[in-house]
Amino acid sequence: MTVLSIDAETYSDTSIKHGLAKYFETAKLLMLAYQIDDSPVELWEPHKSEMPAELEQALNDENTTIVAWNAIFEWYVVNRLIGVSVPIARFKDTMINALSLSLPGKLSEVGPIVGLDIEHLKNPEGAALIRRFCVPTESNGKKVIRDYKTDPELWETFCEYCKQDVVAERAIAKKLAIFDLSEQEWSDWHLDQKINLRGAPVDVELVDAALALDAEEKTRLLDELKTRTQLANPVSVTQFLAYAKQQGYSYDSLSKECVSKYLDQHPDTELAETLKIRQQATKTSVKKYEALKTATHNGRLKHTLQFYGARTGRWAGRIFQPQNLPSATFDDIDTAIELIKARDADTIDCLYDSVTEVLSGCIRAAIRAEPGNTLVVADLSAIENRVLAWIADDAEMLNIFETGLDPYKKFAVEMFGKKYEEITKKERKLAKPPVLGCGYMLGAKGLQKYSEGYGITIDETEAKRQVELFRSLFSDVPRFWKSLETAFFECVLDKNTVALGKLEIVSNPPVVQIVLPSGRAISYIRPAIQNLDTPWGEKRPQITYEGFDLKRKWTRIPTHPGKLTENVVQAIARDVLLEGIKRAENAGFNVVLHVHDEIVAEVPKDSGLTHEKLAALMSKPIVWAEGLPLAAEGFTSDYYKKD
């Protein structure tokens, strides 16, 4: 098989931050570096010559695999700018190889980590060269485009930079070759790109109206805040905190937690009302409308799903983040949508709590099927708990799902000492944090903080009781934590393969991988066992590995059995979702979006493709997951929402 490695440099009047589809509407090809197998790297400059015959032949050869870093960019170059029709199935992406190993997604960062010598590293001058030649600049209010005519010497440096990118990409590809994705995983990536190219349908009218209403409402709220506080900038944390303290605010922060505590303690004060107004004025969830506007091309939201966006293999959001969208706090979404489109702020204020709450609650609805189509949505029920029960082989937890019981109500039975049928909605909600969090080794303090995310406050004594209750009821889960840690220790220290139930922990220096039931693996780079302080002040051996910390510094990261368990569970849940996506596509569903455990498909209204069929496909037994109890539920709607 012939391998064609390519790297392109392009110019566009449109920022890449607006998404690839928009970017390539105004893009032109400046140069393309290429290498066929291990032959020398060549450079094609379209302003100098026609496309080289060997490059044209390789692009048109169905048996040639095209490899690039962030290959979807080069797919656009080949198909849109060069004009050669090449299916995405002929491409492979070295960046995806890197991400699958929990390496960074930037070419410049990967080279040093994998130990490339200086001759094979990416040229560090690249950012300045791209700013010089790939984006327009302004001089005296006029657009200036720089190229080989305006900067001939620097252009030659740019040409060498482009060629060096191919050198660096090829060197990294060879370093990672032993960890190459399986053909099935490459097929999964090709499907992912197909879904990203298809895009999700967007209600552009709703987005535009929401942005206009938000701007008006923010101006009104800011004016009201200025009148109330007499501050020049009441949105400023420094200015407003000083003002609030003068009014009796006792906290040193304006964090959501601190403000909520004050509002609970002093609900009827004038400062409480001012704080509520400021919360609305600074609400950031409506910024997702701006992201939607930015990333939407011809009415479709494209390239927002990043394959291998996390260590577990789960997707991440790009430009627009479909994960963790706010839910509506009101029922009549249809009326709210009509009022937003009418830009009727006065009626919204009369019928709902606030304009900002309505805008926030309707963000999901901005994903709307095109006329004649509908959205079919289904999500896997309690998938992480089901996977945890299955991978830990916990009979008690498995029995809950096998008998069709609600895991939160079942735990509430033990929490409150009541019969299953007597559990209230409130009690079920109170049981949710321990059921979801304690499986990943949360202690009492961790559970307290986790519960706050659900709007639930518990003291340390109650948190400790819930933790102990979970661990006693589902005793195979703590045993799994210990077994997983022991197996990982053994693999790191003895550099061998350790079998653990449905998993294998494999040493493949400098990487240790947890091989999942699907055959895919989670990777940990250069793991080690180090004596470190625990949160409770005790020194004990702990697993560390290389990765980015919260400040995006590449360093050693400590982990623990609960986190490893979370990685394993979420990775398997991802693989289960992917099985559902593939089945849905094969059955004729056009998948346009998916989030963690949910699939959104757009289908013709008369297609017969129902949410019941989609849910059945998602919950059908999986060959590699024998005994995993799956269930899914769904709904059909013209627009996306939280069911």
Side-chain angles (χ1 to χ4, degrees), residues 26-291:
T26 61
K28 70 175 184 178
L29 179 61
L30 301 179
M31 62 185 71
L32 185 138
Y34 66 94
Q35 183 179 30
I36 300 173
D37 291 330
D38 289 321
S39 62
V41 177
E42 304 290 348
L43 185 73
W44 172 40
E45 297 176 77
H47 68 273
K48 284 186 176 180
S49 66
E50 296 293 323
M51 180 166 46
E54 61 177 358
L55 175 59
E56 183 175 9
Q57 181 180 345
L59 289 175
N60 284 289
D61 181 6
E62 293 181 357
N63 295 315
T64 295
T65 297
I66 304 170
V67 179
W69 190 275
N70 190 24
I72 190 61
F73 186 92
E74 270 67 26
W75 180 88
Y76 268 98
V77 168
V78 171
N79 284 267
R80 299 286 193 268
L81 303 187
I82 298 177
V84 178
S85 180
V86 180
I88 192 65
R90 279 186 53 204
F91 280 78
K92 285 188 176 181
D93 191 338
T94 315
M95 183 184 76
I96 297 300
N97 262 115
L99 292 175
S100 74
L101 291 167
S102 302
L103 286 164
K106 290 185 178 180
L107 180 64
S108 59
E109 294 174 337
V110 174
I113 293 170
V114 300
L116 294 189
D117 58 51
I118 194 166
E119 291 181 358
H120 294 94
L121 289 174
K122 181 180 174 70
N123 186 336
E125 297 177 9
L129 292 167
I130 287 170
R131 286 195 299 271
R132 188 75 171 177
F133 294 115
C134 297
V135 297
T137 57
E138 280 194 9
S139 178
N140 297 322
K142 294 183 179 180
K143 182 173 74 172
V144 176
I145 300 175
R146 300 190 179 278
D147 58 17
Y148 59 94
K149 296 176 183 175
T150 61
D151 301 78
E153 291 184 7
L154 202 56
W155 182 267
E156 289 304 313
T157 303
F158 192 33
C159 291
E160 291 304 313
Y161 161 77
C162 183
K163 292 171 68 176
Q164 184 62 25
D165 266 7
V166 172
V167 171
E169 290 165 21
R170 285 279 287 168
I172 290 171
K174 288 181 178 180
K175 285 273 189 180
L176 305 185
I178 190 174
F179 303 106
D180 193 14
L181 274 65
S182 67
E183 286 304 312
Q184 180 58 62
E185 288 177 278
W186 280 122
S187 177
D188 295 340
W189 175 72
H190 293 144
L191 174 58
D192 168 76
Q193 296 305 295
K194 177 183 174 183
I195 292 169
N196 270 302
L197 284 163
R198 178 185 293 148
V202 175
D203 187 339
V204 177
E205 182 187 359
L206 176 63
V207 172
D208 288 342
L211 288 171
L213 266 182
D214 181 56
E216 292 173 9
E217 184 67 2
K218 290 289 173 64
T219 299
R220 185 188 71 79
L221 291 170
L222 187 59
D223 288 344
E224 186 173 352
L225 279 174
K226 286 179 178 179
T227 300
R228 280 174 166 268
T229 64
Q230 297 300 302
L231 295 174
N233 181 14
V235 174
S236 162
V237 172
T238 303
Q239 290 184 35
F240 191 88
L241 184 58
Y243 163 81
K245 282 182 171 291
Q246 291 174 0
Q247 307 301 312
Y249 186 78
S250 58
Y251 300 99
D252 294 323
S253 168
L254 290 173
S255 68
K256 184 178 179 180
E257 291 77 16
C258 290
V259 171
S260 294
K261 287 178 182 177
Y262 179 86
L263 294 177
D264 288 341
Q265 295 163 356
H266 311 281
D268 300 321
T269 62
E270 186 174 340
L271 177 59
E273 185 62 26
T274 305
L275 282 165
K276 290 176 185 177
I277 294 170
R278 187 178 182 277
Q279 281 182 323
Q280 293 179 44
T282 57
K283 198 172 186 69
T284 58
S285 57
V286 291
K287 286 186 177 294
K288 287 186 180 285
Y289 284 110
E290 295 176 4

Side-chain angles (χ1 to χ4, degrees), residues 546-557:
E546 289 187 9
F548 280 122
D549 63 14
L550 295 177
K551 296 181 179 178
R552 216 175 179 281
K553 177 185 176 184
W554 190 262
T555 185
R556 295 208 71 81
I557 308 292

